[in-house]
Amino acid sequence: MLISIQKRDNIVEFSSAIDRFVSSVYFQNYVSSNYFTSLLRYEVDFDEIGNLSRKRFGGPVCRCFSRLDNKLIVITGATSGIGLVVAQLLANRGASIIFTARNSDEGIVIQNYLRAATKNPKIYCKYLDLNDFVSIHKFVLHVNQACSTVDLLINNAGVFFHPPSETVDKFDVTFQTNYLGHFLLTELLLPKLAATSRIIFLSSAAHFLAKSLDVKTVAAFDPEAGGLSARFQSYANSKLCLLLYSKILAQRCKERTINVYSVDPGSVETSIYRHFPFLQNPILKALQRPIRYIVVRTPLQGAQTVLHCAVSPHLSKETGLYYSDLVSKTPSDLSQDVELSTHLYDYSRLWTGLV
């Protein structure tokens, strides 16, 4: 079956063609060679179609316009994706931004872009490798020397479906990038956080996939854990750990009126999928392109709940909650296990050398 598109500007007709495609080809004849041919034959202006088809899946938009002049914000992993968009949105509101990058050259390019795009010169890129505790300590030392207080910490950086790898600190790379590195960074920056400041963790609905958690072994590097199930589980565990930590951190910070938020941005089209095999194969990627374009969010759409938790005055009395589409949602039962969160916190302090 071929998808026929006679006119590029006939958006409604194409949207209907997509619907027919989903029902008749995508599910019933997934590997049709004719479909491959159609993908190669036609150039589709997906940006135009997006206004019709993406509206339903893109999520709500943050309508808060609070200014952030004289506020200092630290964001990890802001050279692309959600982090880059959030950095630009917050810089547009007058905030001073320190964002991190593992590639300093790339980071400086982004720094210059953001300064030009926002007309805000108070944007600085600093090197940070979350997979190296020494790097985290050096970064925090710089922040302590350069800044009097930090008003917002956004723990954004993360990896998904990363091949089994061991960090220099002898932990699984997914676990340390997504959780343990951010744990250490947050703990070291806590004394620098101002009263009424906020901490945001980028979480994921994937945490629901973690049905149990063995704290004693979750951080261990397993060179054999390279299968599909193992990589999904590694990601789910790391996001569960973030939620468990956010709960105990919120309680610890209540007296200082520091609020803690966990955000599920949804499925967002970013470089986090660079290790995902179903998007590395060009044929499989082409097959998924029409569907992903409709149901997977843009970085701007994925950034909305992060922005909401960063600036909304309506959340000033809320802490320790899990947010999606601008509202608090109920996370998994396991993520609310107080005893488990306490055990994880104790082990995390041990792993990172804080005890």
Short mmCIF file of all heavy atoms in Angstrom, two decimals, residues 189-241:
data_model
loop_
_atom_site.label_atom_id
_atom_site.label_comp_id
_atom_site.label_asym_id
_atom_site.label_seq_id
_atom_site.Cartn_x
_atom_site.Cartn_y
_atom_site.Cartn_z
N LEU A 189 25.73 21.02 46.93
CA LEU A 189 25.22 22.37 46.70
C LEU A 189 24.19 22.81 47.73
O LEU A 189 23.85 24.01 47.78
CB LEU A 189 24.61 22.47 45.30
CG LEU A 189 25.57 22.58 44.12
CD1 LEU A 189 24.81 22.63 42.81
CD2 LEU A 189 26.45 23.85 44.25
N LEU A 190 23.70 21.89 48.55
CA LEU A 190 22.65 22.25 49.52
C LEU A 190 23.02 23.46 50.39
O LEU A 190 22.18 24.35 50.60
CB LEU A 190 22.32 21.05 50.40
CG LEU A 190 21.25 20.09 49.87
CD1 LEU A 190 21.04 18.95 50.85
CD2 LEU A 190 19.94 20.81 49.60
N PRO A 191 24.24 23.53 50.92
CA PRO A 191 24.56 24.70 51.75
C PRO A 191 24.50 26.02 50.99
O PRO A 191 24.35 27.08 51.59
CB PRO A 191 26.00 24.41 52.22
CG PRO A 191 26.14 22.93 52.12
CD PRO A 191 25.33 22.55 50.92
N LYS A 192 24.61 25.94 49.67
CA LYS A 192 24.61 27.15 48.85
C LYS A 192 23.20 27.57 48.43
O LYS A 192 23.01 28.69 47.95
CB LYS A 192 25.45 26.89 47.58
CG LYS A 192 26.07 28.14 46.99
CD LYS A 192 27.12 28.69 47.92
CE LYS A 192 27.88 29.85 47.31
NZ LYS A 192 28.85 30.43 48.26
N LEU A 193 22.24 26.69 48.59
CA LEU A 193 20.88 27.00 48.15
C LEU A 193 20.24 28.00 49.09
O LEU A 193 20.27 27.84 50.33
CB LEU A 193 20.05 25.73 48.08
CG LEU A 193 20.41 24.78 46.93
CD1 LEU A 193 19.71 23.44 47.10
CD2 LEU A 193 20.05 25.40 45.60
N ALA A 194 19.61 29.01 48.50
CA ALA A 194 18.98 30.07 49.28
C ALA A 194 17.65 29.60 49.84
O ALA A 194 17.06 28.61 49.37
CB ALA A 194 18.77 31.29 48.39
N ALA A 195 17.16 30.29 50.85
CA ALA A 195 15.82 30.04 51.35
C ALA A 195 14.83 30.32 50.23
O ALA A 195 15.03 31.24 49.42
CB ALA A 195 15.53 30.94 52.56
N THR A 196 13.79 29.51 50.17
CA THR A 196 12.76 29.56 49.12
C THR A 196 13.29 29.14 47.75
O THR A 196 12.63 29.37 46.74
CB THR A 196 12.09 30.94 49.01
OG1 THR A 196 13.00 31.89 48.44
CG2 THR A 196 11.58 31.43 50.35
N SER A 197 14.47 28.54 47.71
CA SER A 197 14.98 28.04 46.43
C SER A 197 14.27 26.74 46.06
O SER A 197 13.51 26.18 46.85
CB SER A 197 16.49 27.82 46.50
OG SER A 197 16.81 26.87 47.49
N ARG A 198 14.54 26.25 44.86
CA ARG A 198 13.87 25.06 44.36
C ARG A 198 14.88 24.09 43.75
O ARG A 198 15.88 24.52 43.18
CB ARG A 198 12.80 25.41 43.32
CG ARG A 198 11.70 26.31 43.86
CD ARG A 198 10.59 26.58 42.86
NE ARG A 198 9.56 27.43 43.44
CZ ARG A 198 8.37 27.68 42.89
NH1 ARG A 198 8.07 27.12 41.71
NH2 ARG A 198 7.50 28.45 43.49
N ILE A 199 14.55 22.80 43.88
CA ILE A 199 15.36 21.74 43.26
C ILE A 199 14.43 20.90 42.40
O ILE A 199 13.36 20.48 42.86
CB ILE A 199 16.01 20.84 44.33
CG1 ILE A 199 16.90 21.66 45.26
CG2 ILE A 199 16.82 19.72 43.66
CD1 ILE A 199 17.41 20.87 46.46
N ILE A 200 14.82 20.69 41.14
CA ILE A 200 13.99 19.92 40.21
C ILE A 200 14.79 18.73 39.70
O ILE A 200 15.94 18.87 39.28
CB ILE A 200 13.54 20.80 39.02
CG1 ILE A 200 12.67 21.95 39.51
CG2 ILE A 200 12.77 19.96 37.99
CD1 ILE A 200 12.29 22.95 38.42
N PHE A 201 14.15 17.56 39.74
CA PHE A 201 14.73 16.35 39.17
C PHE A 201 13.93 15.94 37.95
O PHE A 201 12.70 15.90 38.00
CB PHE A 201 14.71 15.20 40.19
CG PHE A 201 15.56 15.43 41.40
CD1 PHE A 201 14.99 15.87 42.59
CD2 PHE A 201 16.93 15.20 41.36
CE1 PHE A 201 15.78 16.08 43.71
CE2 PHE A 201 17.72 15.41 42.48
CZ PHE A 201 17.14 15.85 43.66
N LEU A 202 14.61 15.63 36.85
CA LEU A 202 13.93 15.11 35.66
C LEU A 202 13.70 13.62 35.87
O LEU A 202 14.62 12.81 35.84
CB LEU A 202 14.75 15.37 34.41
CG LEU A 202 14.42 16.66 33.64
CD1 LEU A 202 13.08 16.56 32.94
CD2 LEU A 202 14.45 17.88 34.56
N SER A 203 12.45 13.27 36.08
CA SER A 203 12.07 11.89 36.33
C SER A 203 11.50 11.28 35.05
O SER A 203 11.70 11.79 33.95
CB SER A 203 11.06 11.83 37.47
OG SER A 203 10.76 10.49 37.81
N SER A 204 10.78 10.19 35.20
CA SER A 204 10.19 9.52 34.03
C SER A 204 9.12 8.54 34.50
O SER A 204 9.22 7.95 35.58
CB SER A 204 11.27 8.76 33.25
OG SER A 204 10.69 7.91 32.28
N ALA A 205 8.11 8.36 33.66
CA ALA A 205 7.10 7.35 33.94
C ALA A 205 7.70 5.95 33.92
O ALA A 205 7.08 5.00 34.40
CB ALA A 205 5.96 7.45 32.92
N ALA A 206 8.91 5.84 33.39
CA ALA A 206 9.59 4.54 33.37
C ALA A 206 9.83 4.00 34.78
O ALA A 206 10.05 2.80 34.95
CB ALA A 206 10.92 4.65 32.63
N HIS A 207 9.77 4.86 35.78
CA HIS A 207 10.00 4.37 37.14
C HIS A 207 8.94 3.35 37.55
O HIS A 207 9.18 2.53 38.45
CB HIS A 207 10.03 5.54 38.14
CG HIS A 207 8.69 6.00 38.60
ND1 HIS A 207 7.93 6.92 37.88
CD2 HIS A 207 7.94 5.68 39.69
CE1 HIS A 207 6.79 7.13 38.52
NE2 HIS A 207 6.77 6.39 39.63
N PHE A 208 7.77 3.37 36.90
CA PHE A 208 6.73 2.39 37.20
C PHE A 208 7.17 0.97 36.83
O PHE A 208 6.61 0.00 37.33
CB PHE A 208 5.44 2.74 36.44
CG PHE A 208 4.66 3.87 37.05
CD1 PHE A 208 4.75 5.16 36.53
CD2 PHE A 208 3.82 3.65 38.13
CE1 PHE A 208 4.03 6.21 37.08
CE2 PHE A 208 3.09 4.70 38.69
CZ PHE A 208 3.19 5.98 38.17
N LEU A 209 8.15 0.85 35.93
CA LEU A 209 8.63 -0.47 35.52
C LEU A 209 9.46 -1.14 36.60
O LEU A 209 9.68 -2.35 36.54
CB LEU A 209 9.46 -0.34 34.24
CG LEU A 209 8.74 0.19 33.00
CD1 LEU A 209 9.72 0.37 31.86
CD2 LEU A 209 7.61 -0.75 32.60
N ALA A 210 9.93 -0.37 37.56
CA ALA A 210 10.73 -0.94 38.65
C ALA A 210 9.79 -1.46 39.73
O ALA A 210 9.21 -0.70 40.50
CB ALA A 210 11.67 0.12 39.22
N LYS A 211 9.63 -2.76 39.79
CA LYS A 211 8.70 -3.38 40.74
C LYS A 211 9.36 -3.70 42.07
O LYS A 211 8.66 -3.98 43.06
CB LYS A 211 8.12 -4.66 40.13
CG LYS A 211 7.42 -4.44 38.79
CD LYS A 211 6.30 -3.40 38.90
CE LYS A 211 5.60 -3.21 37.56
NZ LYS A 211 4.56 -2.15 37.65
N SER A 212 10.66 -3.68 42.11
CA SER A 212 11.40 -3.90 43.36
C SER A 212 12.77 -3.24 43.20
O SER A 212 13.19 -2.91 42.08
CB SER A 212 11.56 -5.39 43.66
OG SER A 212 12.33 -6.03 42.65
N LEU A 213 13.45 -3.06 44.32
CA LEU A 213 14.77 -2.43 44.26
C LEU A 213 15.66 -3.01 45.35
O LEU A 213 15.35 -2.91 46.54
CB LEU A 213 14.63 -0.91 44.46
CG LEU A 213 15.93 -0.11 44.24
CD1 LEU A 213 16.26 -0.05 42.75
CD2 LEU A 213 15.80 1.30 44.81
N ASP A 214 16.75 -3.63 44.92
CA ASP A 214 17.75 -4.14 45.84
C ASP A 214 18.83 -3.07 45.99
O ASP A 214 19.68 -2.90 45.11
CB ASP A 214 18.35 -5.44 45.31
CG ASP A 214 19.31 -6.09 46.30
OD1 ASP A 214 19.71 -5.42 47.27
OD2 ASP A 214 19.67 -7.26 46.09
N VAL A 215 18.76 -2.33 47.07
CA VAL A 215 19.67 -1.21 47.27
C VAL A 215 21.13 -1.64 47.28
O VAL A 215 22.01 -0.92 46.82
CB VAL A 215 19.31 -0.46 48.57
CG1 VAL A 215 20.32 0.63 48.86
CG2 VAL A 215 17.91 0.15 48.46
N LYS A 216 21.39 -2.83 47.77
CA LYS A 216 22.77 -3.30 47.88
C LYS A 216 23.43 -3.56 46.53
O LYS A 216 24.65 -3.49 46.40
CB LYS A 216 22.82 -4.57 48.73
CG LYS A 216 22.41 -4.36 50.18
CD LYS A 216 22.49 -5.66 50.96
CE LYS A 216 22.07 -5.48 52.40
NZ LYS A 216 22.14 -6.74 53.18
N THR A 217 22.62 -3.85 45.51
CA THR A 217 23.19 -4.23 44.22
C THR A 217 22.84 -3.27 43.08
O THR A 217 23.38 -3.39 41.98
CB THR A 217 22.72 -5.64 43.81
OG1 THR A 217 21.28 -5.65 43.67
CG2 THR A 217 23.12 -6.66 44.87
N VAL A 218 21.94 -2.31 43.30
CA VAL A 218 21.42 -1.49 42.20
C VAL A 218 22.51 -0.67 41.52
O VAL A 218 22.42 -0.37 40.32
CB VAL A 218 20.28 -0.57 42.70
CG1 VAL A 218 20.82 0.49 43.67
CG2 VAL A 218 19.56 0.09 41.53
N ALA A 219 23.53 -0.30 42.26
CA ALA A 219 24.59 0.55 41.69
C ALA A 219 25.70 -0.23 41.00
O ALA A 219 26.56 0.34 40.34
CB ALA A 219 25.20 1.42 42.78
N ALA A 220 25.68 -1.55 41.15
CA ALA A 220 26.79 -2.37 40.66
C ALA A 220 26.83 -2.42 39.13
O ALA A 220 25.78 -2.51 38.48
CB ALA A 220 26.67 -3.78 41.23
N PHE A 221 28.02 -2.38 38.60
CA PHE A 221 28.21 -2.51 37.17
C PHE A 221 28.15 -3.98 36.78
O PHE A 221 28.86 -4.81 37.35
CB PHE A 221 29.55 -1.91 36.76
CG PHE A 221 29.97 -2.27 35.36
CD1 PHE A 221 29.21 -1.89 34.27
CD2 PHE A 221 31.13 -3.01 35.14
CE1 PHE A 221 29.59 -2.24 32.98
CE2 PHE A 221 31.53 -3.35 33.87
CZ PHE A 221 30.76 -2.96 32.78
N ASP A 222 27.31 -4.29 35.81
CA ASP A 222 27.17 -5.66 35.31
C ASP A 222 27.48 -5.67 33.82
O ASP A 222 26.66 -5.22 33.01
CB ASP A 222 25.75 -6.17 35.56
CG ASP A 222 25.56 -7.61 35.09
OD1 ASP A 222 26.53 -8.21 34.60
OD2 ASP A 222 24.43 -8.12 35.22
N PRO A 223 28.63 -6.16 33.42
CA PRO A 223 29.01 -6.15 31.99
C PRO A 223 28.11 -7.02 31.13
O PRO A 223 28.10 -6.87 29.90
CB PRO A 223 30.44 -6.67 31.99
CG PRO A 223 30.57 -7.46 33.26
CD PRO A 223 29.69 -6.76 34.25
N GLU A 224 27.33 -7.91 31.74
CA GLU A 224 26.45 -8.79 30.99
C GLU A 224 25.05 -8.20 30.81
O GLU A 224 24.21 -8.80 30.12
CB GLU A 224 26.33 -10.15 31.71
CG GLU A 224 27.66 -10.84 31.95
CD GLU A 224 28.41 -11.12 30.65
OE1 GLU A 224 27.74 -11.48 29.64
OE2 GLU A 224 29.64 -10.97 30.63
N ALA A 225 24.80 -7.05 31.40
CA ALA A 225 23.45 -6.47 31.36
C ALA A 225 23.26 -5.62 30.10
O ALA A 225 22.96 -4.43 30.17
CB ALA A 225 23.20 -5.64 32.61
N GLY A 226 23.44 -6.23 28.94
CA GLY A 226 23.34 -5.50 27.69
C GLY A 226 22.08 -5.77 26.89
O GLY A 226 21.88 -5.18 25.82
N GLY A 227 21.20 -6.64 27.39
CA GLY A 227 19.98 -6.95 26.68
C GLY A 227 18.93 -5.85 26.78
O GLY A 227 19.07 -4.91 27.57
N LEU A 228 17.88 -5.98 25.98
CA LEU A 228 16.83 -4.97 25.97
C LEU A 228 16.22 -4.80 27.36
O LEU A 228 16.08 -3.67 27.86
CB LEU A 228 15.74 -5.35 24.97
CG LEU A 228 16.13 -5.37 23.50
CD1 LEU A 228 14.94 -5.81 22.64
CD2 LEU A 228 16.60 -4.00 23.04
N SER A 229 15.84 -5.90 27.97
CA SER A 229 15.19 -5.86 29.28
C SER A 229 16.10 -5.25 30.33
O SER A 229 15.67 -4.42 31.15
CB SER A 229 14.75 -7.26 29.70
OG SER A 229 14.17 -7.24 30.98
N ALA A 230 17.37 -5.64 30.32
CA ALA A 230 18.31 -5.16 31.33
C ALA A 230 18.53 -3.66 31.21
O ALA A 230 18.63 -2.95 32.23
CB ALA A 230 19.64 -5.90 31.20
N ARG A 231 18.61 -3.16 29.99
CA ARG A 231 18.84 -1.72 29.81
C ARG A 231 17.63 -0.91 30.21
O ARG A 231 17.75 0.17 30.81
CB ARG A 231 19.22 -1.43 28.35
CG ARG A 231 20.58 -1.98 27.95
CD ARG A 231 21.13 -1.21 26.78
NE ARG A 231 21.94 -2.05 25.92
CZ ARG A 231 22.52 -1.63 24.81
NH1 ARG A 231 22.30 -0.39 24.39
NH2 ARG A 231 23.26 -2.43 24.07
N PHE A 232 16.44 -1.39 29.87
CA PHE A 232 15.22 -0.72 30.33
C PHE A 232 15.17 -0.70 31.85
O PHE A 232 14.82 0.32 32.46
CB PHE A 232 13.98 -1.43 29.78
CG PHE A 232 13.53 -0.94 28.44
CD1 PHE A 232 13.54 -1.76 27.33
CD2 PHE A 232 13.09 0.37 28.28
CE1 PHE A 232 13.13 -1.31 26.09
CE2 PHE A 232 12.67 0.84 27.05
CZ PHE A 232 12.68 -0.01 25.94
N GLN A 233 15.50 -1.83 32.46
CA GLN A 233 15.44 -1.93 33.91
C GLN A 233 16.43 -1.00 34.58
O GLN A 233 16.14 -0.38 35.61
CB GLN A 233 15.69 -3.36 34.36
CG GLN A 233 15.27 -3.64 35.80
CD GLN A 233 13.78 -3.42 36.01
OE1 GLN A 233 12.95 -4.00 35.32
NE2 GLN A 233 13.44 -2.55 36.95
N SER A 234 17.61 -0.87 33.99
CA SER A 234 18.62 0.03 34.53
C SER A 234 18.13 1.47 34.53
O SER A 234 18.31 2.21 35.51
CB SER A 234 19.92 -0.09 33.72
OG SER A 234 20.90 0.79 34.20
N TYR A 235 17.50 1.84 33.43
CA TYR A 235 16.95 3.21 33.34
C TYR A 235 15.83 3.40 34.35
O TYR A 235 15.77 4.41 35.06
CB TYR A 235 16.45 3.45 31.92
CG TYR A 235 15.87 4.83 31.71
CD1 TYR A 235 16.70 5.94 31.59
CD2 TYR A 235 14.49 5.02 31.60
CE1 TYR A 235 16.17 7.21 31.38
CE2 TYR A 235 13.96 6.28 31.39
CZ TYR A 235 14.80 7.38 31.28
OH TYR A 235 14.27 8.62 31.08
N ALA A 236 14.92 2.42 34.43
CA ALA A 236 13.78 2.51 35.36
C ALA A 236 14.28 2.62 36.80
O ALA A 236 13.76 3.42 37.59
CB ALA A 236 12.88 1.30 35.19
N ASN A 237 15.28 1.82 37.16
CA ASN A 237 15.81 1.86 38.51
C ASN A 237 16.41 3.22 38.85
O ASN A 237 16.23 3.74 39.96
CB ASN A 237 16.88 0.78 38.69
CG ASN A 237 16.30 -0.62 38.74
OD1 ASN A 237 15.10 -0.81 38.92
ND2 ASN A 237 17.15 -1.62 38.56
N SER A 238 17.13 3.80 37.90
CA SER A 238 17.77 5.10 38.16
C SER A 238 16.71 6.18 38.38
O SER A 238 16.87 7.06 39.24
CB SER A 238 18.69 5.48 37.00
OG SER A 238 17.97 5.76 35.80
N LYS A 239 15.62 6.12 37.63
CA LYS A 239 14.56 7.12 37.79
C LYS A 239 13.76 6.89 39.07
O LYS A 239 13.30 7.83 39.72
CB LYS A 239 13.63 7.10 36.57
CG LYS A 239 14.31 7.58 35.29
CD LYS A 239 14.84 9.00 35.45
CE LYS A 239 15.47 9.54 34.18
NZ LYS A 239 15.97 10.93 34.33
N LEU A 240 13.61 5.62 39.46
CA LEU A 240 12.99 5.33 40.74
C LEU A 240 13.83 5.88 41.88
O LEU A 240 13.30 6.47 42.85
CB LEU A 240 12.82 3.81 40.91
CG LEU A 240 12.36 3.34 42.30
CD1 LEU A 240 10.97 3.87 42.63
CD2 LEU A 240 12.39 1.82 42.38
N CYS A 241 15.14 5.72 41.79
CA CYS A 241 16.03 6.23 42.83
C CYS A 241 15.93 7.75 42.96
O CYS A 241 15.98 8.28 44.08
CB CYS A 241 17.47 5.81 42.55
SG CYS A 241 17.79 4.04 42.82
#
